[in-house]
Each structure stands twice: as C-alpha cells, then as structure tokens.
Amino acid sequence: MISRKFTAIAAGLTLTLGLAACGGEGAGSGTNNDTADKDPSELVVGVAMPTQTSERWIADGDAVKSGLENAGYQVDLQFADDDIPTQQEQIDQMVTKGVDALIIASIDGTALSTQLDAAGAANIPVIAYDRLINGNENVDFYVTFDNENVGVQQATSLLVGLGLMNEDGSEGDAEGPFNVELFAGSPDDNNATFFFNGAMKTLQPYIDDETLVVQSGQSEFGAVATQRWSQDEAQKRMENLLTSTYNSGDKVDGVLSPFDGISRGIISALEGAGYATDEMPVITGQDAEIASVKLINDGVQFATIFKDTRKLADQAVDAASTFLEGSIPEPNDTTSYNNGVKDVPSFLLESDIVYKDNIAALLVDSGYYTQAQVDAGQ
Ligand code: BGC
C-alpha cells in the first residue's frame, strides 16, 4: 500500500499541476488544498441520495457509505424521500456543517444551484452520482453508466423479446407488425432523455417501416414521461392506454419501460385488464431490482438492465478520495455530458441486459444476489 506521506506529496504535486492546468476556474474547481494534509478520519463526506422507495438507491447509499468508511472517512448519508426541498435542505446542512466533499444523486438535476454555489464558495468538491446536476459550474466530476447505451439495451431487449432480433444482435425470425407502447422516466432527471433517445434511435427504423406500431400514437418524450419514475403513475397511464386504445380486442405486444418500478406498474395494469401472467407483452426494465428479477425468472417481465451499483459506488469513492488527496480524478469521457454550463468530466461504466437465461451468470455468480433471493423475489 502506498504510504499516506507519499500520497500527500504526490497529491501536492498533482494539485500544483492541476491548478496550473485549469487556472481561473476558482472555487469549486475540485481540489481542496487543506484536506490533502489531513488523515481521512478527520474528513467527512456528505452523501445525498434521492429516495429509499427504490431499492437501487438504498444499495447505492450503502455501498458508497461502506466504501468511504473502509477508506477511513466519516460519512453523512441522507435520503430525501424524492422531495426536492428535503434534498436541498440536507445539502445546505452538509455545506454548513463543513463536509469536505459531496456525492450527490439529485432528484431534480436543475434544482441544486444554490447548494452548489455554496459548495463552490467553500471549495467543497462535488461529485454528481449517476444523475447529472445541470446549470452549475461547480459539478467537478460525474460518475455514471453509459446512459444512452442503457436505452439502446432496453430497446434491444424489446426487439429480442418480440423475436425481431436475436440475443447476438442478428436478425430474428419474427415479422410483425407488433403493437407497442412506450414509457420514459422523470423529465427532471437528465438520464431519462438519454435512455429514451438511445431507445428511440434503435426502435425508430422499425416504427418507420411499421414493424412496430405505437397504437396510442404517444411517442414523444413529453407524452410518455413518468414524473418521479412513479410506479403508480405508470400503472395509471397504462390503464388509460388499455381503455382508450386497446378496448376492441387488440393486444399489446411490447412495452418499452425504462425502470423496473415502472414495469411493475405496467404489469399490474395489464393484469387488471385480464392479461394472464403467461401472456404478458414483452416488457423491459432497468436496475435488476430483486422483485423484477423474480418476475423475469417467472416469465412475467422479459428483461431488465443490470447496472452494478457496487462498481458505481467504487468510482464515486475513488473520485472523492482523489479530490480529498488534492488531485483530480481521471475521467474516461469528457464530451458526452454538458450540464448547460460546461462539459463535466465523467467516468462511465457499462451495463448488461438481463434475460431469464443469464440471471445466474450476471447476478448470482457475481454475488449481487443469492439464488434464494432470486427465487423469493426479495
Ligand atoms: C437511474 C436509473 C433508475 C432511475 C429511477 C435514474 O436516474 O439512472 O437507474 O432506474 O433513476 O430511480
């Protein structure tokens, strides 16, 4: 292990170079001279997570907290019940209490400018976690997945489920036409448009040649978005679609869903309208939530996207400690994520499509879930 002293010297050097390289950025440029001289146990990292209603954010919060604690830091972890004022207040308090770094998964990516201004003024490095924070220069680093590719994978799994494509990407035997409906995520979450655009890029040729038919005619982001990623909202919209568009015996063949909670809302609506569990349309998802993994195993939901939150947490912890040691973390993407003020240096991770036949390989063998959890759905 590299000694603390060496790290401090290296950090000092990098700091000098780093400041020279990005001279003029001023407060919030991401390095904090003071922290490099301190032991991690004297430093506190504030971690702001959006909600505990979805299990992925609980897993993210736990993984970030334990990663930081293992590196020796103190952690102030807060969840905000998907309520914007609560999250603003939590971050305000973290800044007031003088945390040394912030890791933030925002609820509304445009609602934190006051908090980020304060963090910048206090020279607290800010890492946007999974969701980009928009409209402020004091976002020093962004750790996330390749969000557009997540959307491509969601659309790909829809095409595979319908038989239009094989899992290896080759053309499938089915011909269509198929009735599909589209759902997108929350309009205030920057990721939602990335997922939807990635998916639509993949689906559009099939829509153009009428292999896929969006019977409701609702295919613009604004019409298909789901505020706060709400399962109930999704269920209501699906119920409305079924009564308004599929009341004369037409069946829905596929539903593009951007998140497992939304998928479960869609499934409830379909069940309510008389679809048996073994005649569900092809339904996609995201996050590999355990309840949905069981539904995939049982053949009710078709697929989900696995984003390994352990790896994302590791990246966030690495980025935070790098800043706290006085250096700048290394991005692997500097062009994809502009937050309206600047291109935010980002580290993007890859995701995987989970089908029934690779649940064991992706989720059980990697230790993300046990087989017993998959069987029980919890
Ligand atoms: C995340 C997704 C998640 C969604 C709803 C997005 O920002 O990237 O993984 O499904 O929020 O929580």
Side-chain angles (χ1 to χ4, degrees):
M1 204 191 166
I2 301 172
S3 77
R4 183 79 208 147
K5 190 169 165 211
F6 174 81
T7 314
I9 296 169
L13 274 177
T14 322
L15 174 65
T16 317
L17 293 172
L19 285 181
C22 56
E25 270 188 48
S29 63
T31 54
N32 189 339
N33 207 358
D34 296 343
T35 58
D37 303 328
K38 292 191 178 150
D39 190 80
S41 62
E42 298 172 69
L43 303 173
V44 183
V45 182
V47 181
M49 288 285 150
T51 178
Q52 282 171 299
T53 54
S54 149
E55 81 197 26
R56 81 147 281 191
W57 298 112
I58 301 174
D60 284 286
D62 288 347
V64 172
K65 184 169 190 282
S66 60
L68 288 166
E69 284 174 349
N70 289 341
Y73 298 105
Q74 298 175 54
V75 180
D76 180 0
L77 167 64
Q78 305 284 340
F79 291 89
D81 292 330
D82 256 341
D83 182 56
I84 298 164
T86 302
Q87 185 165 61
Q88 290 169 329
E89 200 180 306
Q90 288 172 339
I91 299 170
D92 281 338
Q93 279 182 11
M94 289 173 184
V95 174
T96 310
K97 278 197 243 156
V99 295
D100 298 286
L102 280 166
I103 296 175
I104 302 173
S106 57
I107 298 166
D108 178 334
T110 61
L112 296 177
S113 260
T114 309
Q115 289 65 37
L116 261 56
D117 285 346
N123 207 21
I124 300 169
V126 175
I127 297 155
Y129 186 91
D130 198 50
R131 297 174 171 175
L132 186 59
I133 304 171
N134 283 312
N136 196 286
E137 66 176 326
N138 296 320
V139 187
D140 298 297
F141 203 68
Y142 179 36
V143 294
T144 189
F145 291 83
D146 182 341
N147 292 308
E148 181 170 315
N149 193 48
V150 169
V152 171
Q153 290 176 325
Q154 289 170 331
T156 300
S157 67
L158 181 64
L159 296 174
V160 169
L162 292 171
L164 292 166
M165 193 185 272
N166 299 314
E167 281 185 33
D168 64 7
S170 60
E171 199 179 321
D173 294 333
E175 286 180 359
F178 294 111
N179 295 331
V180 295
E181 294 299 334
L182 311 170
F183 283 70
S186 194
D188 52 11
D189 179 344
N190 196 64
N191 288 347
T193 41
F194 275 80
F195 301 148
F196 191 66
N197 291 344
M200 289 311 279
K201 203 170 75 180
T202 310
L203 297 181
Q204 199 61 52
Y206 296 85
I207 294 175
D208 289 345
D209 72 9
E210 294 177 2
T211 305
L212 299 180
V213 182
V214 184
Q215 286 290 357
S216 67
Q218 297 177 14
S219 53
E220 295 302 315
F221 180 82
V224 304
T226 314
Q227 185 68 17
R228 289 287 116 72
W229 303 88
S230 156
Q231 178 166 339
D232 291 347
E233 287 290 312
Q235 180 171 341
K236 276 188 214 132
R237 178 163 173 260
M238 191 70 213
E239 285 166 355
N240 288 339
L241 289 172
L242 289 167
T243 45
S244 65
T245 311
Y246 295 90
N247 52 5
S248 56
D250 281 347
K251 289 268 176 201
V252 187
D253 300 306
V255 186
L256 175 79
S257 164
F259 160 52
D260 287 342
I262 289 179
S263 315
R264 293 195 296 274
I266 292 165
I267 289 168
S268 299
L270 287 159
E271 281 172 347
Y275 284 70
T277 47
D278 60 356
E279 55 166 28
M280 281 290 155
V282 176
I283 301 167
T284 67
Q286 173 169 206
D287 290 342
E289 293 202 335
I290 190 64
S292 294
V293 174
K294 178 174 164 46
L295 289 171
I296 294 169
N297 208 23
D298 293 347
V300 182
Q301 183 171 322
F302 184 71
T304 186
I305 307 301
F306 174 44
K307 306 199 309 194
D308 194 332
T309 50
R310 299 168 299 189
K311 292 187 183 157
L312 187 61
D314 282 351
Q315 284 305 324
V317 170
D318 272 5
S321 16
T322 306
F323 280 126
L324 290 169
E325 286 163 6
S327 303
I328 309 265
E330 190 69 44
N332 65 4
D333 184 297
T334 52
T335 54
S336 300
Y337 290 96
N338 187 291
N339 77 343
V341 177
K342 67 178 193 184
D343 287 331
V344 181
S346 307
F347 195 96
L348 311 188
L349 291 160
E350 290 304 321
S351 50
D352 291 294
I353 307 176
V354 179
Y355 300 107
K356 182 174 176 158
D357 62 11
N358 64 7
I359 289 176
L362 286 174
L363 300 175
V364 179
D365 295 353
S366 72
Y368 202 71
Y369 294 130
T370 62
Q371 187 59 49
Q373 286 176 301
V374 173
D375 293 339
Q378 55 190 357

